[in-house]
Amino acid sequence: MELLVAVMVGVMVAASVHLMLARNVLRFIFGLILISNAANLTIFAAGRLTPERPPLIPEGADAPAAQVANALPQALVLTAIVIGFGLFAFALTLVYRTYQTLGTLNSDEMRLAEPRGEDGS
Amino acid sequence: MSWTLASPIIIPFATAVLAFLFRRGPEGRWLSVIGAAALLIASGLLMAEVWAEGVVAAQMGGWAAPFGITLVADLLSAVMVVITGITGLAVAVYALADVDARKEELGFHALFQVLLAGVCGAFLTGDIFNLYVWFEVMLIASFGLLILGGRREQLDGGVKYVTLNLVSTILFLSAVGLLYGMTGTLNMADLHGAVQEVDNPGLLVTVAVMFMVAFGVKAAVFPLFFWLPASYHTPAFSVSAIFAGLLTKVGVYALVRVFTLIFTTDVAYTHTILLWVAGLTMITGVLGAAAMNDFRRILSFHIVSQIGYMILGLALFTPLAIVGAVFYIVHHIIVKANLFLVAGVAKRIAGSTDLAAIGGLYRTAPLLGLLFLIPAFSLAGFPPLSGFWAKYVLVKASLDAQSYWIAAVALVVGLLTIYSMTKIWGAAFWTPHPEGRAPRLTDLPARDRAALLVPIASLAALTCVIGFYPEPFVVFAERSAAQLLDPAAYVGAVLGEASGAAAEAGPGLAEPEGGQ
């Protein structure tokens, strides 16, 4: 099970690196979203996968009766998803606004803040 | 729950809410100043407590240590919070005159206070996933501040800042996940013990390097600093100043914390990488600055170069070097924020930050000249200002560690820093204004003048105080370094004295058993 998830994470990271190497900023953001999901899966797998054993404590007991799935990585992933959602919503808005204002998504053409020539490049 | 520990986080958050509600009136900006002043007082109280009682820790929500979220302050955390209070107050006052009504209406003061809360949270947390959350709080506030106003340059710089910082965030998150997978804990004090028992040291070092890269992007070290000179010169001057002072230093703080508390299992490997990074960061930063011709862009590259000195202190990993690193961080935050504030005044009265388009400030605004010289000479390391002592301690530490080449690099970079500072001095202050204008401080309305110059003068005075009376600051840095190099007190305070003592006794008892 861990191996399967690990392979999936590997494929996702490879795909996202490919996207992130593009000059188009929108593709970069898509790559970023993909790699953040790969990171979430990494946390999930790092917490050990124990399928079909929900972390429930029977009524009246203080601890789960048998070995159950680790709930903490799931909580971490949930937090990371929420934070990531906010950040990517902002990033996408920023990219859209940049496209409207600068008229380009090519990162090579975004040289307003660092004009060519002035800094000797 | 300890109020002294929680108040540096609660105060800015509460202020942010109030400042947002009153963002359309003058109340918002005064609330921001009052909130920043309250933060400074709260941080002072925290510092007094930590100084008197040693490491202070509190468990949020009442869950016992390795499970709940811990807030903890040792001397390094406490001094970083105090410095956050000082810079926060200085910039809040400066923003009274620097930030226009439109940006205020968009929520400048609220974002500014959230940024301070995020920074304080990152300094005070004792949990590595919680550190990630504070980084995000800080990051999202900084995104907002950076592009507030929406000028074309800001959007351009913002894209680079946002994307590269998000990459570092994701790397940080994966590293936290893998570390948890190996050790089963997220509490930093608990991790200190848990990493000793990891049976795969190679994997541990890999994760350590992941943390190094993630925090390295935040701290803007070579070769991960490109977002910084691309963006720091674009927003309002108040924003530049608080970014320059605090944000990269949160990355440095995280590196210091993680590489003194957790990843000390293979110092020869990890800290050697850090040493190379430190040297290259110093050199590239200062050479980049030499090629620039804009007040703020020169200063931005100098942030990079100065980060190298702090990493150098961490990388050498001797008591004296850590003393130097702590001293350097404190000195640098004050000086760097101040230089950006001076650049703001120069722009206000002379009309630009492009060095070719301004001049004559020395003749017509000699006070500004003096206020520039103090932080600039301190940055370059002139005695007797604060930067001299910081550099002196670090160079001495490198010579003691017989790393002669890094000592040479530090000294040469100091010389090149003087070159950049004299370039600004020559172009902005000495040569006549190209358009024949005579920029005067008296051109500014009296209220603006006070709001702009009082913070600058106060920070400059602080630089002089550290320079002329370095003794108490060095003593402080020595105690702080001792705490960092021997985390027993930190671990004990977080996990409770009993279990802390047990954790210490554990390996001590195991040894004789093994010997028998």
mmCIF file of all heavy atoms in Angstrom, chain B residues 51 320 323-324 326-327 389-390 392-393 466 469-481:
data_model
loop_
_atom_site.group_PDB
_atom_site.id
_atom_site.type_symbol
_atom_site.label_atom_id
_atom_site.label_comp_id
_atom_site.label_asym_id
_atom_site.label_seq_id
_atom_site.Cartn_x
_atom_site.Cartn_y
_atom_site.Cartn_z
ATOM 1 N N TRP B 51 14.564 36.089 31.201
ATOM 2 C CA TRP B 51 15.880 36.436 31.750
ATOM 3 C C TRP B 51 15.967 35.988 33.203
ATOM 4 O O TRP B 51 16.998 35.477 33.648
ATOM 5 C CB TRP B 51 16.100 37.950 31.615
ATOM 6 C CG TRP B 51 17.437 38.401 32.099
ATOM 7 C CD1 TRP B 51 17.717 39.077 33.242
ATOM 8 C CD2 TRP B 51 18.702 38.210 31.440
ATOM 9 N NE1 TRP B 51 19.056 39.311 33.344
ATOM 10 C CE2 TRP B 51 19.681 38.790 32.252
ATOM 11 C CE3 TRP B 51 19.081 37.596 30.239
ATOM 12 C CZ2 TRP B 51 21.045 38.789 31.907
ATOM 13 C CZ3 TRP B 51 20.435 37.582 29.902
ATOM 14 C CH2 TRP B 51 21.393 38.173 30.727
ATOM 15 N N LEU B 320 31.367 30.631 20.604
ATOM 16 C CA LEU B 320 31.610 32.019 20.222
ATOM 17 C C LEU B 320 30.895 32.367 18.915
ATOM 18 O O LEU B 320 30.357 33.472 18.762
ATOM 19 C CB LEU B 320 33.113 32.260 20.075
ATOM 20 C CG LEU B 320 33.511 33.714 19.881
ATOM 21 C CD1 LEU B 320 33.144 34.526 21.113
ATOM 22 C CD2 LEU B 320 34.995 33.846 19.589
ATOM 23 N N VAL B 323 27.307 32.993 19.556
ATOM 24 C CA VAL B 323 27.201 34.333 20.153
ATOM 25 C C VAL B 323 27.182 35.380 19.045
ATOM 26 O O VAL B 323 26.331 36.281 19.019
ATOM 27 C CB VAL B 323 28.393 34.598 21.110
ATOM 28 C CG1 VAL B 323 28.419 36.063 21.537
ATOM 29 C CG2 VAL B 323 28.315 33.698 22.323
ATOM 30 N N GLY B 324 28.122 35.230 18.097
ATOM 31 C CA GLY B 324 28.194 36.177 16.988
ATOM 32 C C GLY B 324 26.915 36.182 16.167
ATOM 33 O O GLY B 324 26.418 37.244 15.797
ATOM 34 N N VAL B 326 23.818 35.371 17.060
ATOM 35 C CA VAL B 326 22.710 36.001 17.792
ATOM 36 C C VAL B 326 22.883 37.519 17.787
ATOM 37 O O VAL B 326 21.954 38.283 17.486
ATOM 38 C CB VAL B 326 22.643 35.456 19.239
ATOM 39 C CG1 VAL B 326 21.618 36.233 20.052
ATOM 40 C CG2 VAL B 326 22.309 33.985 19.237
ATOM 41 N N PHE B 327 24.097 37.958 18.104
ATOM 42 C CA PHE B 327 24.393 39.394 18.134
ATOM 43 C C PHE B 327 24.145 40.002 16.757
ATOM 44 O O PHE B 327 23.563 41.078 16.628
ATOM 45 C CB PHE B 327 25.857 39.580 18.542
ATOM 46 C CG PHE B 327 26.202 40.974 18.959
ATOM 47 C CD1 PHE B 327 26.228 41.301 20.301
ATOM 48 C CD2 PHE B 327 26.497 41.955 18.033
ATOM 49 C CE1 PHE B 327 26.538 42.586 20.705
ATOM 50 C CE2 PHE B 327 26.812 43.241 18.428
ATOM 51 C CZ PHE B 327 26.829 43.556 19.762
ATOM 52 N N TRP B 389 31.153 45.142 16.267
ATOM 53 C CA TRP B 389 31.262 44.078 17.275
ATOM 54 C C TRP B 389 30.732 42.768 16.728
ATOM 55 O O TRP B 389 31.307 41.704 16.970
ATOM 56 C CB TRP B 389 30.503 44.480 18.539
ATOM 57 C CG TRP B 389 30.995 45.774 19.089
ATOM 58 C CD1 TRP B 389 30.350 46.980 19.067
ATOM 59 C CD2 TRP B 389 32.268 46.020 19.703
ATOM 60 N NE1 TRP B 389 31.137 47.948 19.635
ATOM 61 C CE2 TRP B 389 32.313 47.391 20.031
ATOM 62 C CE3 TRP B 389 33.360 45.214 20.002
ATOM 63 C CZ2 TRP B 389 33.416 47.967 20.647
ATOM 64 C CZ3 TRP B 389 34.458 45.790 20.617
ATOM 65 C CH2 TRP B 389 34.486 47.154 20.929
ATOM 66 N N ALA B 390 29.616 42.841 15.977
ATOM 67 C CA ALA B 390 29.025 41.623 15.420
ATOM 68 C C ALA B 390 30.026 40.941 14.493
ATOM 69 O O ALA B 390 30.278 39.741 14.589
ATOM 70 C CB ALA B 390 27.747 41.967 14.668
ATOM 71 N N TYR B 392 33.283 41.480 14.391
ATOM 72 C CA TYR B 392 34.491 41.133 15.139
ATOM 73 C C TYR B 392 34.347 39.761 15.787
ATOM 74 O O TYR B 392 35.233 38.907 15.665
ATOM 75 C CB TYR B 392 34.753 42.210 16.199
ATOM 76 C CG TYR B 392 35.862 41.889 17.143
ATOM 77 C CD1 TYR B 392 37.192 42.032 16.752
ATOM 78 C CD2 TYR B 392 35.607 41.422 18.439
ATOM 79 C CE1 TYR B 392 38.227 41.726 17.616
ATOM 80 C CE2 TYR B 392 36.627 41.117 19.298
ATOM 81 C CZ TYR B 392 37.929 41.272 18.895
ATOM 82 O OH TYR B 392 38.949 40.951 19.741
ATOM 83 N N VAL B 393 33.201 39.531 16.438
ATOM 84 C CA VAL B 393 32.982 38.250 17.117
ATOM 85 C C VAL B 393 32.993 37.114 16.099
ATOM 86 O O VAL B 393 33.611 36.067 16.316
ATOM 87 C CB VAL B 393 31.646 38.271 17.893
ATOM 88 C CG1 VAL B 393 31.329 36.893 18.432
ATOM 89 C CG2 VAL B 393 31.697 39.275 19.020
ATOM 90 N N ILE B 466 24.034 50.019 21.177
ATOM 91 C CA ILE B 466 24.644 48.682 21.080
ATOM 92 C C ILE B 466 26.125 48.819 20.777
ATOM 93 O O ILE B 466 26.954 48.058 21.269
ATOM 94 C CB ILE B 466 23.951 47.839 19.984
ATOM 95 C CG1 ILE B 466 22.482 47.643 20.313
ATOM 96 C CG2 ILE B 466 24.618 46.475 19.848
ATOM 97 C CD1 ILE B 466 21.713 46.861 19.269
ATOM 98 N N TYR B 469 27.944 50.498 24.115
ATOM 99 C CA TYR B 469 27.897 49.647 25.306
ATOM 100 C C TYR B 469 27.596 48.216 24.886
ATOM 101 O O TYR B 469 26.529 47.686 25.210
ATOM 102 C CB TYR B 469 26.821 50.135 26.281
ATOM 103 C CG TYR B 469 26.977 51.564 26.689
ATOM 104 C CD1 TYR B 469 26.210 52.563 26.104
ATOM 105 C CD2 TYR B 469 27.912 51.920 27.670
ATOM 106 C CE1 TYR B 469 26.358 53.886 26.471
ATOM 107 C CE2 TYR B 469 28.069 53.239 28.033
ATOM 108 C CZ TYR B 469 27.287 54.223 27.428
ATOM 109 O OH TYR B 469 27.445 55.518 27.788
ATOM 110 N N PRO B 470 28.505 47.560 24.172
ATOM 111 C CA PRO B 470 28.183 46.203 23.684
ATOM 112 C C PRO B 470 28.178 45.168 24.798
ATOM 113 O O PRO B 470 27.612 44.094 24.644
ATOM 114 C CB PRO B 470 29.298 45.922 22.681
ATOM 115 C CG PRO B 470 30.433 46.774 23.121
ATOM 116 C CD PRO B 470 29.858 47.983 23.780
ATOM 117 N N GLU B 471 28.807 45.507 25.937
ATOM 118 C CA GLU B 471 29.003 44.517 26.988
ATOM 119 C C GLU B 471 27.716 43.770 27.372
ATOM 120 O O GLU B 471 27.669 42.545 27.271
ATOM 121 C CB GLU B 471 29.631 45.216 28.208
ATOM 122 C CG GLU B 471 29.699 44.372 29.464
ATOM 123 C CD GLU B 471 30.928 43.485 29.486
ATOM 124 O OE1 GLU B 471 31.909 43.859 28.816
ATOM 125 O OE2 GLU B 471 30.892 42.441 30.147
ATOM 126 N N PRO B 472 26.642 44.487 27.801
ATOM 127 C CA PRO B 472 25.444 43.727 28.202
ATOM 128 C C PRO B 472 24.863 42.894 27.055
ATOM 129 O O PRO B 472 24.333 41.803 27.296
ATOM 130 C CB PRO B 472 24.452 44.814 28.646
ATOM 131 C CG PRO B 472 24.993 46.085 28.147
ATOM 132 C CD PRO B 472 26.467 45.930 28.018
ATOM 133 N N PHE B 473 24.991 43.372 25.826
ATOM 134 C CA PHE B 473 24.431 42.631 24.696
ATOM 135 C C PHE B 473 25.232 41.362 24.423
ATOM 136 O O PHE B 473 24.674 40.331 24.078
ATOM 137 C CB PHE B 473 24.370 43.522 23.456
ATOM 138 C CG PHE B 473 23.448 44.690 23.615
ATOM 139 C CD1 PHE B 473 23.925 45.903 24.071
ATOM 140 C CD2 PHE B 473 22.098 44.562 23.350
ATOM 141 C CE1 PHE B 473 23.079 46.978 24.254
ATOM 142 C CE2 PHE B 473 21.238 45.629 23.520
ATOM 143 C CZ PHE B 473 21.724 46.843 23.976
ATOM 144 N N VAL B 474 26.560 41.471 24.597
ATOM 145 C CA VAL B 474 27.394 40.279 24.392
ATOM 146 C C VAL B 474 27.129 39.261 25.497
ATOM 147 O O VAL B 474 27.015 38.068 25.237
ATOM 148 C CB VAL B 474 28.887 40.671 24.325
ATOM 149 C CG1 VAL B 474 29.757 39.431 24.327
ATOM 150 C CG2 VAL B 474 29.156 41.507 23.094
ATOM 151 N N VAL B 475 26.986 39.753 26.729
ATOM 152 C CA VAL B 475 26.673 38.840 27.836
ATOM 153 C C VAL B 475 25.360 38.121 27.547
ATOM 154 O O VAL B 475 25.238 36.908 27.711
ATOM 155 C CB VAL B 475 26.577 39.622 29.173
ATOM 156 C CG1 VAL B 475 26.006 38.730 30.270
ATOM 157 C CG2 VAL B 475 27.940 40.136 29.572
ATOM 158 N N PHE B 476 24.395 38.911 27.053
ATOM 159 C CA PHE B 476 23.107 38.322 26.699
ATOM 160 C C PHE B 476 23.285 37.253 25.628
ATOM 161 O O PHE B 476 22.784 36.132 25.736
ATOM 162 C CB PHE B 476 22.146 39.406 26.203
ATOM 163 C CG PHE B 476 20.881 38.845 25.660
ATOM 164 C CD1 PHE B 476 19.822 38.576 26.501
ATOM 165 C CD2 PHE B 476 20.762 38.522 24.314
ATOM 166 C CE1 PHE B 476 18.662 38.026 26.015
ATOM 167 C CE2 PHE B 476 19.604 37.967 23.822
ATOM 168 C CZ PHE B 476 18.557 37.713 24.677
ATOM 169 N N ALA B 477 24.024 37.595 24.563
ATOM 170 C CA ALA B 477 24.217 36.653 23.461
ATOM 171 C C ALA B 477 24.930 35.399 23.934
ATOM 172 O O ALA B 477 24.652 34.296 23.471
ATOM 173 C CB ALA B 477 25.001 37.327 22.335
ATOM 174 N N GLU B 478 25.860 35.575 24.915
ATOM 175 C CA GLU B 478 26.566 34.406 25.437
ATOM 176 C C GLU B 478 25.612 33.463 26.159
ATOM 177 O O GLU B 478 25.654 32.249 25.965
ATOM 178 C CB GLU B 478 27.688 34.848 26.394
ATOM 179 C CG GLU B 478 28.963 35.211 25.662
ATOM 180 C CD GLU B 478 29.989 35.842 26.571
ATOM 181 O OE1 GLU B 478 29.682 36.100 27.753
ATOM 182 O OE2 GLU B 478 31.107 36.095 26.076
ATOM 183 N N ARG B 479 24.733 34.048 26.983
ATOM 184 C CA ARG B 479 23.761 33.189 27.684
ATOM 185 C C ARG B 479 22.840 32.500 26.692
ATOM 186 O O ARG B 479 22.504 31.325 26.835
ATOM 187 C CB ARG B 479 22.935 34.022 28.663
ATOM 188 C CG ARG B 479 23.541 34.053 30.040
ATOM 189 C CD ARG B 479 22.661 34.779 31.018
ATOM 190 N NE ARG B 479 21.412 34.078 31.329
ATOM 191 C CZ ARG B 479 20.561 34.487 32.265
ATOM 192 N NH1 ARG B 479 20.824 35.563 32.964
ATOM 193 N NH2 ARG B 479 19.446 33.825 32.491
ATOM 194 N N SER B 480 22.424 33.274 25.675
ATOM 195 C CA SER B 480 21.530 32.709 24.677
ATOM 196 C C SER B 480 22.206 31.571 23.918
ATOM 197 O O SER B 480 21.607 30.518 23.689
ATOM 198 C CB SER B 480 21.117 33.830 23.726
ATOM 199 O OG SER B 480 20.412 33.305 22.667
ATOM 200 N N ALA B 481 23.485 31.772 23.557
ATOM 201 C CA ALA B 481 24.215 30.732 22.826
ATOM 202 C C ALA B 481 24.384 29.492 23.686
ATOM 203 O O ALA B 481 24.294 28.364 23.200
ATOM 204 C CB ALA B 481 25.569 31.267 22.384
#
